[in-house]
Amino acid sequence: MEMEGWLGGELSHNFPAAISPGSHPGLNSISELNESLVFLWPLPSEFTFGNETLTVDPDLSLAVNGDGGNSVIVRDAFERYRAIIFKQTSWFWRLKLRRNSDYDIGKIRIIVHSDDEELQLGADESYYLMVAKSNDRSIIGEATIVANSVFGALRGLETFSQLCAYDYITKTVQVYKAPWYIRDRPRFAYRGLLLDTSRHYLPVDVIKQVIESMSYVKLNVLHWHIIDEESFPLEVPTYPNLWKGAYTKWERYTVEDAYEIVNFAKMRGINVMAEVDVPGHAESWGAGYPDLWPSLSCREPLDVSKNTTFDVISGILTDIRKIFPFELFHLGGDEVNTDCWTSTSHVKQWLQGQNMTAKDAYRYFVLKAQEIAISKNWTPVNWEETFNAFATELNPRTVVHNWLGSGVCPKAVAQGFRCIFSNQGFWYLDHLDVPWDGVYNAEPLEGITDASEQQLVLGGEVCMWAETADASNLQQTIWPRAAAAAERLWSEREAISTGNINITALPRLHYFRCLLTRRGIQAAPVTNKYARSSPGGPGSCYEQ
């Protein structure tokens, strides 16, 4: 499907480009904003635009074509975005406008070529978007989205929604700088956000709010760090006592809750990658099954000497494989202190009988857990310590998850492993002193110049560890810094890595942060010295 033929010419970034004074959406005066910028986040791959202003009918209708156009995913998304776009248009005012106005855009046409709705790594998220006045062949003006998959259509709808802005003078929704011709695709296949529900329980509705907000920046993987040493909130039917490790009986996720989260995410083009971290970070398991501890006084790592330990892991993975269809599954493997193994008599005796050191046993545990995951048709993901300790013995399908610092992804891909970038110095959102530009400038391909090795970097992920975050402050810790990483992962590297980002990116991020707040997301000011802190004083949303 060639865009040149459809649109009549090659597209370019056109970034920055001239925008006429007085035309910027959402402000009575635009002196505060750089008029040469395109206020879409993340920045599309290629685009052109003009200097017209189009009005959008509050009764905007949907027309669908193609094998996948009739998908419930597409239809539900259209209804969601229509509600967002016309949030400020009351039903009373719509009736008045309908009687008195003609509109340039009365319909959005979505053409989806494939009816395949399987959501996996590398699903086609590309789309074409055209927003232009009606021509001689059409009485009703249309916006058009063309995509190979329903998930590309979702991304196109998000971009269209960002082109639409409420005009407070005419009280209509308008598209500025039309006609728009956009061809867009993600730079990386994996664009993730980690949520930690062990350090603090997050209600299902809060998780859904995060997923919804992820869709606004085209992130596509929720890494659900469900359990850890502090709590085990997930129901596992085969081992029903495991969730005795929850903080309380009210801070739990049923199997139905997990299904609901996965389905809610899929409707927004977001995969859910579950994590069961072993053998460390697992003390909470023993609340229901104390035999999993090396001893009552020495409670982690999990007891490597007992077959029942691996039976439980297999049972957990069998149960949750029914819930999580995503091909990647995270097995953790980080921060394993083996002192309990060497100081507990029966484990120490087992090590001696196996002629293993504690380091050998760590390797044995990780590789056995990998075998279990692979037997369930999962691809294992492990934190980088496993690669650092025994790279040559890891299963070659392993995805190495970087976090400790720079330099790991280059080493991993050089040995043929795939890698996910989450350098804690920049992409750990609980590090509140990392400013927006530190997040924005972090580059997953840093130090990797070989094209074939670059292809092995799946993408990256920002991590919302929850020692100091719960439902009361979660969103303002995530946003807007996660959006900075999202543009790095979606947009062309050259387009967002040249020039002064305080000119080319910061005003756009201010604008997007305000868009988030208008959509009900509690995004913190962009330029706080410490993330999630309150504004320093009175002022415009667009300048703090």
Side-chain angles (χ1 to χ4, degrees):
M1 182 173 57
E2 289 296 323
M3 193 174 195
E4 287 83 355
W6 181 54
L7 294 182
E10 182 68 35
L11 297 183
S12 65
H13 285 292
N14 227 10
F15 172 61
I19 298 177
S20 60
S23 65
H24 198 278
L27 296 175
N28 292 328
S29 167
I30 60 163
S31 61
E32 299 92 342
L33 292 177
N34 186 327
E35 297 173 21
S36 67
L37 300 179
V38 170
F39 287 82
L40 295 172
W41 197 281
L43 192 71
S45 305
E46 302 173 66
F47 51 86
T48 61
F49 53 88
N51 58 11
E52 298 176 355
T53 298
L54 307 182
T55 56
V56 184
D57 190 340
D59 286 327
L60 183 72
S61 62
L62 172 66
V64 295
N65 296 98
D67 292 345
N70 234 350
S71 166
V72 67
I73 293 176
V74 171
R75 291 188 176 276
D76 282 7
F78 170 74
E79 295 298 335
R80 287 198 308 274
Y81 280 107
R82 185 164 64 174
I84 289 171
I85 291 167
F86 298 104
K87 193 172 187 177
Q88 288 171 279
T89 307
S90 69
W91 283 108
F92 172 78
W93 193 249
R94 288 189 199 189
L95 289 171
K96 183 177 180 182
L97 291 172
R98 189 183 301 139
R99 289 195 299 267
N100 299 330
S101 300
D102 293 321
Y103 296 95
D104 300 307
I105 303 296
K107 181 185 296 182
I108 184 162
R109 182 173 300 277
I110 300 178
I111 304 165
V112 180
H113 293 304
S114 172
D115 61 0
D116 183 0
E117 295 183 0
E118 183 179 12
L119 181 60
Q120 289 292 353
L121 188 68
D124 191 336
E125 298 173 89
S126 65
Y127 66 92
Y128 304 153
L129 171 62
M130 178 175 67
V131 185
K133 272 188 175 179
S134 60
N135 54 35
D136 295 339
R137 294 170 295 172
S138 175
I139 298 173
I140 301 175
E142 293 182 355
T144 303
I145 294 170
V146 182
N148 290 323
S149 79
V150 294
F151 307 112
L154 295 182
R155 307 304 176 225
L157 278 166
E158 173 57 42
T159 301
F160 176 73
S161 75
Q162 292 188 26
L163 290 177
C164 296
Y166 183 74
D167 182 84
Y168 284 84
I169 305 301
T170 63
K171 299 184 181 179
T172 59
V173 171
Q174 300 183 350
V175 174
Y176 298 85
K177 309 316 301 172
W180 284 92
Y181 301 101
I182 296 172
R183 174 165 59 183
D184 201 9
R185 60 199 168 273
R187 180 182 171 208
F188 289 105
Y190 185 107
R191 307 178 307 280
L193 168 70
L194 178 147
L195 272 190
D196 169 11
T197 59
S198 174
R199 275 51 179 259
H200 281 98
Y201 174 83
L202 298 173
V204 171
D205 281 351
V206 172
I207 296 174
K208 287 182 176 180
Q209 290 164 13
V210 172
I211 292 169
E212 191 79 63
S213 61
M214 289 172 65
S215 72
Y216 300 155
V217 292
K218 301 182 172 72
L219 291 176
N220 70 346
V221 180
L222 174 69
H223 174 179
W224 190 3
H225 188 87
I226 311 173
I227 55 183
D228 209 293
E229 62 190 75
E230 290 84 0
S231 73
F232 195 118
L234 182 65
E235 179 184 18
V236 179
T238 302
Y239 290 93
N241 290 337
L242 279 170
W243 70 351
K244 286 185 177 180
Y247 286 124
T248 65
K249 65 182 180 181
W250 301 286
E251 294 170 293
R252 290 174 166 175
Y253 303 104
T254 65
V255 168
E256 292 78 14
D257 289 335
Y259 272 119
E260 174 67 17
I261 288 166
V262 170
N263 184 63
F264 185 90
K266 180 181 179 179
M267 295 296 286
R268 288 147 183 82
I270 296 172
N271 280 298
V272 181
M273 178 177 69
E275 179 177 357
V276 174
D277 196 345
V278 294
H281 291 277
E283 181 180 340
S284 62
W285 299 35
Y289 297 95
D291 285 349
L292 295 173
W293 292 330
S295 72
L296 293 176
S297 61
C298 211
R299 299 183 171 187
E300 62 180 7
L302 294 168
D303 193 332
V304 67
S305 71
K306 294 176 181 175
N307 288 332
T308 54
T309 299
F310 298 97
D311 291 340
V312 172
I313 293 172
S314 182
I316 295 171
L317 269 58
T318 297
D319 281 355
I320 67 175
R321 189 64 175 107
K322 302 166 189 172
I323 303 170
F324 298 99
F326 189 40
E327 66 196 72
L328 300 183
F329 183 79
H330 209 301
L331 287 164
D334 60 314
E335 298 182 317
V336 179
N337 183 337
T338 58
D339 287 351
C340 278
W341 289 348
T342 56
S343 63
T344 303
S345 58
H346 77 271
V347 181
K348 185 177 181 180
Q349 185 177 356
W350 181 85
L351 291 173
Q352 292 170 347
Q354 300 292 319
N355 196 26
M356 284 186 187
T357 64
K359 185 177 180 180
D360 294 333
Y362 168 48
R363 179 180 66 244
Y364 166 81
F365 200 119
V366 168
L367 297 182
K368 193 158 185 174
Q370 285 196 334
E371 290 175 4
I372 294 170
I374 290 168
S375 75
K376 317 293 182 194
N377 199 30
W378 261 322
T379 297
V381 183
N382 282 98
W383 294 109
E384 68 174 69
E385 286 95 326
T386 59
F387 172 81
N388 296 336
F390 44 89
T392 59
E393 296 180 68
L394 283 173
N395 188 288
R397 294 170 58 183
T398 303
V399 177
V400 177
H401 194 168
N402 151 253
W403 74 278
L404 285 170
S406 60
V408 172
C409 279
K411 293 176 184 176
V413 298
Q415 296 187 43
F417 290 103
R418 291 178 293 172
C419 194
I420 296 169
F421 175 88
S422 290
N423 185 339
Q424 66 169 339
F426 304 106
W427 282 11
Y428 267 32
L429 298 174
D430 58 314
H431 292 198
L432 302 179
D433 58 344
V434 178
W436 78 272
D437 55 332
V439 179
Y440 191 79
N441 285 325
E443 172 51 52
L445 296 187
E446 181 183 4
I448 306 171
T449 56
D450 181 84
S452 62
E453 292 180 358
Q454 290 180 343
Q455 294 298 314
L456 294 175
V457 178
L458 298 181
E461 172 182 297
V462 287
C463 299
M464 184 60 263
W465 298 107
E467 283 87 350
T468 64
D470 65 6
S472 70
N473 62 359
L474 182 72
Q475 290 283 50
Q476 52 265 56
T477 314
I478 295 173
W479 308 108
R481 291 184 303 161
E487 180 154 285
R488 176 63 52 179
L489 290 166
W490 179 276
S491 303
E492 296 293 326
R493 183 176 184 177
E494 296 76 15
I496 63 171
S497 300
T498 56
N500 181 347
I501 63 170
N502 287 311
I503 297 172
T504 61
L506 180 56
R508 297 172 46 246
L509 185 56
H510 277 306
Y511 186 84
F512 183 74
R513 178 252 170 166
C514 300
L515 179 146
L516 288 175
T517 61
R518 289 196 301 272
R519 292 186 181 185
I521 305 301
Q522 298 89 352
V526 175
T527 53
N528 282 350
K529 183 176 181 180
Y530 293 103
R532 82 177 176 214
S533 55
S534 55
S540 167
C541 175
Y542 298 88
E543 294 182 330
Q544 54 186 13

